[in-house]
Amino acid sequence: MHIDLSKAIAHLNTGVIVAIPTETVYGLAAPLFLENSVKQIFTLKKRPPSNPLIVHIADRAQAEPLIDQIPPHFDTLADAFWPGPVTLVVPASPHVPEIVRAGLPTVALRIPGHPLARALLKETGPLVAPSANLSGRPSSTRPRHVEDDFGLEFPVLDGGPCQKGIESTILINKDNEWQIGRLGALSINEIEAVLGYPVKSASAERPLCPGQHFRHYSPKAKLQIAECALEISGVVVGFSDRLYPKAARVIPLGPLSDPAALSQNLYRTLRALDEEGIEEAHIDFDFPKEGHLLTISERLLKAAARHSSGAGGAGGNSSGNASLRDSVNSDSSASKEIF
Ligand code: TXA
Ligand code: MG
């Protein structure tokens, strides 16, 4: 159900969860300090409690009480990229509820670029907002996607289609250096240009973001990764500026020459497979894995991994949840150096 700004404010203030637009993807929002609403978000999304939430703020003033210690170059990054599609993970002040941090000593912060989101945040104060999808499913980039996952009656503040279409880039300060915790809408090049040094990415085996342990972005359709475009047959998720001589049907992500358009269309296209009842599709993975295309390739691999690993359920398995807490919290190098 589409609602306006004043209704969204009223709902949030009385503990009703609302889907909100951001420039990246829609989020499921609850006030940072309303513990019951925050709990409900985990339940609604079927999200493991070990996966912490990003806190969205209207401005730097709302961030200050939430930060324990400001890491080096935090101001440089915030000045350059906020409002915008980057999340900065910093040591948390004791004000940040434990449930939001999933027990970690850090908090993930972001000022979204969408004007409606900021107008909302100015009135409500900090809001937690994970992506507005059932855990494991493709993120929502349109109000209709939220309604597909949570029902037609679910309140959605309608901000139109998301401009970026892919989640924020997450940066984490480790060893006095900012590292990539999750690839996202802000490119590594732009970040390096501002920081003046090459940024490392966390390895897949030892991710810096707990969420990277879980399965993500998967439609119900079985996805196969195909490395050679000319050879792909059946239903192809591919590029509109490329020919697929053996394909029965092509579902276009957009032109390979326009990575921004590809990002915008990515989740909508993955969701469209299910809307059309397609059971199996082949993804054209025959493209250079650099810049925004690297981020898109990472999302596509994760979307397909659900099937290749044989485990179906949303959001990863329970042993993964337990080991995640251990790997982030009890690994001595991780807990001392990252946080
Ligand atoms: O663009 C976005 O970031 C969207 C919009 C709605 O803002 N939000 C989003 O939230 O993608 P979510 O919950 O789907 O993904 C948040 C990611 C997860 O991988 C989580 O593990 C990580 O952020 N995260 C949150 N707090 C963290 C922390 N303290 N340390 C490391 N990673 C953290
Ligand atoms: Mg998500």
Side-chain angles (χ1 to χ4, degrees):
M1 182 196 300
H2 295 205
I3 58 170
D4 64 11
L5 184 61
S6 60
K7 186 80 181 166
I9 296 166
H11 270 340
L12 287 163
N13 287 340
T14 53
V16 177
I17 293 168
V18 172
I20 63 165
T22 83
E23 79 281 29
T24 58
V25 297
Y26 273 76
L28 277 193
L32 174 62
F33 299 111
L34 282 191
E35 195 172 335
N36 275 340
S37 303
V38 177
K39 271 190 193 150
Q40 261 185 53
I41 284 193
F42 282 92
T43 312
L44 254 176
K45 268 185 71 89
K46 301 191 171 65
R47 184 180 177 102
S50 52
N51 194 5
L53 305 175
I54 296 175
V55 179
H56 296 65
I57 45 183
D59 48 39
R60 298 274 279 280
Q62 285 187 355
E64 266 161 38
L66 309 177
I67 305 178
D68 181 37
Q69 245 184 340
I70 295 191
H73 302 300
F74 172 87
D75 290 325
T76 314
L77 289 167
D79 288 344
F81 300 122
W82 277 354
V86 68
T87 295
L88 300 175
V89 176
V90 299
S93 82
H95 299 296
V96 182
E98 191 168 333
I99 180 176
V100 170
R101 299 180 276 110
L104 298 175
T106 52
V107 60
L109 297 171
R110 148 166 143 82
I111 303 181
H114 199 299
L116 200 51
R118 284 209 310 288
L120 177 74
L121 288 159
K122 277 205 169 74
E123 298 301 320
T124 58
L127 296 173
V128 298
S131 53
N133 53 278
L134 290 168
S135 274
R137 298 261 304 141
S139 302
S140 294
T141 57
R142 285 168 169 62
R144 188 169 55 76
H145 299 160
V146 180
E147 292 170 351
D148 286 345
D149 280 13
F150 299 105
L152 286 174
E153 294 305 306
F154 198 87
V156 184
L157 176 60
D158 187 352
C162 297
Q163 186 215 342
K164 300 284 181 192
I166 228 162
E167 297 84 351
S168 62
T169 303
I170 301 183
L171 288 175
I172 301 186
N173 198 264
K174 186 183 176 214
D175 300 336
N176 280 332
E177 254 184 28
W178 290 91
Q179 301 194 15
I180 306 278
R182 176 180 72 183
L183 291 168
L186 185 68
S187 74
I188 298 181
N189 288 351
E190 287 170 271
I191 295 163
E192 289 180 341
V194 162
L195 285 176
Y197 59 80
V199 289
K200 294 182 202 144
S201 291
S203 70
E205 298 73 40
R206 297 197 56 196
L208 297 176
C209 291
Q212 297 298 97
H213 281 280
F214 300 112
R215 298 207 170 81
H216 266 108
Y217 321 118
S218 300
K220 294 187 189 95
K222 183 174 182 181
L223 301 179
Q224 306 279 8
I225 297 289
E227 302 281 354
C228 179
L230 284 174
E231 294 301 320
I232 315 176
S233 56
V235 176
V236 178
V237 175
F239 304 107
S240 50
D241 49 1
R242 194 172 253 186
L243 293 174
Y244 300 93
K246 297 191 178 168
R249 180 165 174 210
V250 180
I251 308 225
L253 276 167
L256 188 53
S257 57
D258 187 353
L262 295 174
S263 305
Q264 251 178 12
N265 291 335
L266 179 66
Y267 296 131
R268 181 169 59 130
T269 308
L270 294 179
R271 282 175 174 267
L273 295 173
D274 290 348
E275 285 158 21
E276 293 205 30
I278 292 168
E279 287 177 4
E280 181 169 0
H282 300 260
I283 294 177
D284 178 0
F285 209 60
D286 188 0
F287 58 86
K289 315 297 183 297
E290 53 199 34
H292 288 298
L293 291 176
L294 174 66
T295 308
I296 290 168
S297 74
E298 186 258 357
R299 300 300 199 265
L300 288 172
L301 277 180
K302 284 206 156 147
R306 172 182 174 199
H307 297 285
S308 49
S309 70
N317 58 39
S318 55
S319 66
N321 298 352
S323 67
L324 149 71
R325 203 179 275 273
D326 292 348
S327 73
V328 178
N329 276 343
S330 66
D331 176 279
S332 60
S333 62
S335 52
K336 286 193 185 112
E337 292 166 20
I338 304 174
F339 306 111

